Amino acid sequence: MRLSWLVAVAIATLTPGENGPASAPDLPHFEGAALVQPTGYEEWPVAGTSLGLSYSESSTAGPGSFHRVYMNPSAYRAFKRTGTFPDGTTFVLELFEARERTSILKGGFFEGRRTGLEASVKDRARFASGWAYFGFENGARARALAHGETECHACHAAHGQVDSVFVQFYPKLRAD
Amino acid sequence: MRLSWLVAVAIATLTPGENGPASAPDLPHFEGAALVQPTGYEEWPVAGTSLGLSYSESSTAGPGSFHRVYMNPSAYRAFKRTGTFPDGTTFVLELFEARERTSILKGGFFEGRRTGLEASVKDRARFASGWAYFGFENGARARALAHGETECHACHAAHGQVDSVFVQFYPKLRAD
């Protein structure tokens, strides 16, 4: 009991502590220009979840998809402490179909099958805009090259509340 | 770098390792009959999120609430490994209002203000049915006594897919 507490405290202290960002075990790993699919993210903090977000008035049929946005713990703690995203910040986005009328449910939606896996990474030395965005084809792709900058970043930069991140949609990051 | 990895491996090994369940730092803490409000759960794995689940045909206005269900990491890992919930399993349920048409959004819903904080705990030595359910008045209550058993458990026991837990709604626990 005492040992595991000490160890937990040691982790919290080490990441992203005095050895710099490279000491945290949850930082992004690149092979050449490709981001390796993050591992262990299913236990990362969830910044926010949404259902069916859309940015145009064109009506779509059905409820849309659940978006679940994880954040690597060392960056999550740094952001909670400082309000800024350190280099190495990694968001993982999982998409799930919205399922309904299962079991005893008469209304509402829950997360069904996963339909997508994406990530964004902040690294000012590596990316001109500071951020890049990656698609893993719902997990089938072990490594992914960044999307072209205009494909994602223009909208993030114009509308993300803090440093190109949609903090306004994330209850665990924004100040309510 | 090497040290923090070792430490992470040590934690994974220690919880809920050879010292038994009491060695994990994420286990529920009771004061007398009252459950102390869990701390640190915002960094726990999220088993599932839903929007507006209802169990009756009576139509309700609006989209309903987001339900975000966390699970203590030691129990999460044990369940992933064994398919059973150990004593000390703790689910934390946060409720959020569904917010829409904010910022650039034209459609869909994201998690707005938090409106509730609840928990359930498995402890076969402490509770006749094995499980008990607690309300923290959206965090205002530091300690909570269990709800009467019929209030929550009857439905959980009748409809929860595994051991009175609604595993069927949780993508991270069920086998899709």
Side-chain angles (χ1 to χ4, degrees):
Chain A
M1 170 91 181
R2 174 163 289 177
L3 178 57
S4 62
W5 270 107
L6 282 174
V7 164
V9 169
I11 278 218
T13 311
L14 278 172
T15 56
E18 52 207 352
N19 298 325
S23 69
D26 60 7
L27 290 178
H29 180 57
F30 287 89
E31 289 182 4
L35 177 65
V36 177
Q37 189 182 125
T39 57
Y41 66 85
E42 291 184 327
E43 296 193 19
W44 289 0
V46 171
T49 303
S50 63
L51 176 60
L53 295 193
S54 69
Y55 310 110
S56 69
E57 292 285 0
S58 62
S59 64
T60 51
S65 294
F66 278 102
H67 287 197
R68 183 195 277 223
V69 178
Y70 303 85
M71 191 172 169
N72 55 335
S74 62
Y76 177 82
R77 290 170 198 153
F79 184 82
K80 300 289 265 190
R81 199 172 60 242
T82 66
T84 61
F85 295 108
D87 284 315
T89 295
T90 304
F91 289 97
V92 171
L93 168 62
E94 280 190 321
L95 292 86
F96 298 91
E97 63 179 13
R99 202 178 294 172
E100 62 185 322
R101 293 197 168 265
T102 300
S103 179
I104 55 168
L105 296 184
K106 305 297 187 190
F109 301 96
F110 64 99
E111 293 163 327
R113 273 184 318 133
R114 194 178 77 176
T115 55
L117 180 67
E118 304 179 5
S120 65
V121 170
K122 178 173 180 177
D123 186 330
R124 285 169 294 181
R126 193 180 282 270
F127 310 119
S129 72
W131 292 90
Y133 306 83
F134 305 85
F136 291 99
E137 291 184 2
N138 195 20
R141 193 184 282 275
R143 290 160 197 77
L145 294 171
H147 291 300
E149 187 155 329
T150 54
E151 203 171 330
C152 308
H153 190 70
C155 182
H156 276 259
H159 300 290
Q161 190 176 47
V162 177
D163 189 9
S164 305
V165 176
F166 288 102
V167 165
Q168 64 266 46
F169 303 147
Y170 301 148
K172 297 302 175 183
L173 300 186
R174 67 175 187 249
D176 256 329
Chain B
M1 173 85 180
R2 175 164 288 179
L3 178 57
S4 61
W5 270 108
L6 281 175
V7 162
V9 169
I11 278 219
T13 311
L14 278 172
T15 54
E18 53 208 351
N19 298 325
S23 68
D26 60 7
L27 290 178
H29 180 58
F30 286 89
E31 289 181 4
L35 176 66
V36 177
Q37 189 181 126
T39 57
Y41 66 84
E42 293 183 326
E43 296 193 16
W44 289 1
V46 171
T49 302
S50 62
L51 176 61
L53 295 194
S54 69
Y55 310 110
S56 69
E57 292 283 0
S58 63
S59 64
T60 52
S65 295
F66 278 101
H67 287 197
R68 185 196 275 223
V69 178
Y70 303 86
M71 190 171 171
N72 55 336
S74 62
Y76 177 82
R77 291 171 197 151
F79 184 82
K80 300 287 267 190
R81 201 171 57 242
T82 67
T84 61
F85 297 108
D87 284 315
T89 295
T90 304
F91 289 97
V92 171
L93 168 62
E94 281 190 321
L95 292 86
F96 297 90
E97 64 179 13
R99 201 178 292 171
E100 61 185 323
R101 294 198 167 265
T102 300
S103 179
I104 55 168
L105 296 184
K106 306 297 187 189
F109 302 95
F110 64 98
E111 292 164 327
R113 274 184 319 134
R114 195 181 74 178
T115 56
L117 181 67
E118 305 178 3
S120 65
V121 170
K122 178 173 181 176
D123 186 331
R124 284 168 295 180
R126 193 179 282 271
F127 309 118
S129 72
W131 292 90
Y133 306 84
F134 305 85
F136 291 99
E137 292 185 0
N138 196 20
R141 194 184 283 276
R143 289 161 198 75
L145 295 170
H147 290 299
E149 186 156 327
T150 54
E151 203 171 332
C152 307
H153 190 69
C155 182
H156 276 260
H159 300 290
Q161 189 176 48
V162 177
D163 190 9
S164 305
V165 176
F166 288 102
V167 165
Q168 64 265 48
F169 303 148
Y170 301 149
K172 296 303 175 182
L173 300 186
R174 68 174 186 251
D176 256 328

